[in-house]
Amino acid sequence: PQWEEMTGNSSPFILDYRDFENACFGSFGFGKLIIAGGYKTEPCWRCNNAGSSASVGIWNQDGSMCCGASPAFEDGVIPDMREARETHACSEFGQSFVVTGGYYYHYGAGTAGGNTIFEPKSSAEYFNGTAWIEMENMRQARSNFGLETMCGALYAFGGVEMKDRYTDGEFLSSVEVIYSLSSSWSELMGSNHMPQAKGYFATIPVTGMQCW
């Protein structure tokens, strides 16, 4: 096995004026990769207009969806998420693609002045292959956290309660779990919290372990 370059228009990822620093990236089905959300700057004259994006880009190993050309990340193939967001997490679960948490940010400024909106998010939604569908909210708004499927359930690990787009608040050790796309999140208690509160980390699913 060896690393191979993702050729065509897919590297670098050039999509819809977006910065992918705060987007989420995951697999969906066989041979498909999704980039959801992130930070977007809208071009305008004598103004600033930037903030969280609801756009979703997809890469398909079988080729570009629009033209049958070599694989490339494309916007407009998958509909936009229900909510624009950044620093969220995503994972494939229940044959769907789940996105949850993060925050919504928007900054607009013109000749009359500027306005900033910042909203932490506990909301969740999933893409079932056709449309985005609302899920139950997590019990805790969290950013820069882990989200993984294990033992037939979806787990949200740790993260940060952001004070604003540029300022970390409390780091979290709590863990939440949901067992189906239509059920509610519950918090694992006591010793099931992570030993140390943390955010800005990576997670991988564990397979072949005894679940119950």
Side-chain angles (χ1 to χ4, degrees):
Q2 63 182 17
W3 288 93
E4 295 186 8
E5 181 182 4
M6 297 174 70
T7 57
N9 295 328
S10 56
S11 182
F13 304 155
I14 303 173
L15 288 173
D16 196 26
Y17 300 98
R18 269 187 286 156
D19 179 346
F20 297 111
E21 178 182 359
N22 291 333
C24 77
F25 182 81
S27 61
F28 178 57
F30 180 75
K32 297 182 179 70
L33 300 173
I34 286 179
I35 294 177
Y39 183 75
K40 179 177 180 179
T41 301
E42 298 277 4
C44 61
W45 184 67
R46 298 182 65 185
C47 66
N48 291 312
N49 188 27
S52 305
S53 173
S55 297
V56 181
I58 185 170
W59 182 93
N60 190 330
Q61 71 171 13
D62 293 331
S64 170
M65 302 289 284
C66 76
C67 332
S70 60
F73 276 97
E74 302 171 273
D75 274 327
V77 177
I78 289 179
D80 288 356
M81 296 183 292
R82 297 170 61 92
E83 301 180 34
R85 60 180 85 216
E86 302 175 60
T87 68
H88 49 292
C90 54
S91 180
E92 192 170 6
F93 175 63
Q95 297 183 322
S96 296
F97 189 79
V98 175
V99 172
T100 184
Y103 60 71
Y104 171 76
Y105 171 83
H106 182 265
Y107 175 74
T111 56
N115 181 57
T116 299
I117 301 172
F118 177 80
E119 298 174 352
K121 287 188 172 293
S122 61
S123 59
E125 56 188 293
Y126 67 91
F127 179 67
N128 64 2
T130 303
W132 290 94
I133 299 172
E134 184 179 10
M135 293 175 63
E136 291 291 326
N137 289 1
M138 292 189 296
R139 301 174 68 88
Q140 170 80 56
R142 58 183 80 218
S143 292
N144 301 299
F145 63 103
L147 187 71
E148 291 291 350
T149 300
M150 294 191 303
C151 297
L154 184 64
Y155 292 82
F157 304 88
V160 187
E161 289 185 288
M162 302 293 292
K163 292 182 178 180
D164 57 48
R165 189 172 192 268
Y166 305 100
T167 310
D168 292 338
E170 180 183 358
F171 281 70
L172 304 171
S173 64
S174 59
V175 179
E176 298 186 45
V177 61
I178 194 168
Y179 294 99
S180 74
L181 296 169
S182 58
S183 61
S184 298
W185 294 86
S186 58
E187 183 178 338
L188 302 184
M189 305 305 293
S191 61
N192 290 313
H193 280 208
M194 296 193 299
Q196 181 181 4
K198 62 182 63 180
Y200 302 97
F201 57 91
T203 59
I204 58 171
V206 177
T207 58
M209 67 178 185
Q210 184 175 349
C211 293
W212 316 113

